[in-house]
Amino acid sequence: MRNDVTLTGDQLVVRPRGLDKLWGLRRRIEVPLAQVRGATYDPEAFYSGKGLRAPGLALPNVKWVGTFFRDGQRTYWNVRRGGQTIVIELDSKAPFARLYLSVDDGRTLVDRINAAITA
């Protein structure tokens, strides 16, 4: 939907689509699979607190894109209301504590990510 997520070798790569690259000031995020702790399918995550936006786009109840800080953690959001939201938990060495992403076929992608990190 709003992001392409691929697993290539030992990397998880997120590529925001369209103008979301501009709003979030990120063309791609690469994270070694060794830094991925797991992924969950959570459509309700869209409505959870995001914290301070810096930089990014906030259209409440429509979409959130960018880097957010809350409780001392840095997170990346690229979600749209009604989308299939997944949450990817990362370890302390990664650039973000979590990635919140709207994607196509979220349940299947979560299964693929969790299988890749346990392989």
Side-chain angles (χ1 to χ4, degrees):
M1 180 178 255
R2 306 303 319 156
N3 302 280
D4 291 319
V5 179
T6 56
L7 299 166
T8 57
D10 63 345
Q11 297 276 317
L12 179 134
V13 180
V14 177
R15 290 185 185 90
R17 292 184 185 167
L19 288 175
D20 291 343
K21 290 183 262 187
L22 175 66
W23 306 137
L25 297 178
R26 298 219 174 249
R27 297 179 72 198
R28 66 190 283 148
I29 298 170
E30 293 182 13
V31 180
L33 284 177
Q35 295 178 0
V36 177
R37 294 173 37 197
T40 56
Y41 177 77
D42 186 1
E44 297 302 314
F46 175 84
Y47 301 102
S48 63
K50 288 138 188 88
L52 180 65
R53 174 176 41 102
L57 171 74
L59 297 173
N61 288 321
V62 178
K63 78 185 307 185
W64 303 86
V65 183
T67 302
F68 292 77
F69 294 89
R70 181 174 183 190
D71 299 329
Q73 294 187 333
R74 183 176 184 224
T75 58
Y76 176 80
W77 292 75
N78 189 0
V79 295
R80 180 185 261 307
R81 184 178 64 188
Q84 296 189 34
T85 302
I86 66 169
V87 182
I88 302 172
E89 297 273 344
L90 306 175
D91 74 10
S92 61
K93 296 175 189 166
F96 298 97
R98 278 177 226 84
L99 306 173
Y100 295 85
L101 307 168
S102 288
V103 296
D104 293 328
D105 201 4
R107 291 184 194 275
T108 301
L109 181 57
V110 163
D111 290 343
R112 285 183 44 226
I113 292 169
N114 289 330
I117 62 173
T118 58

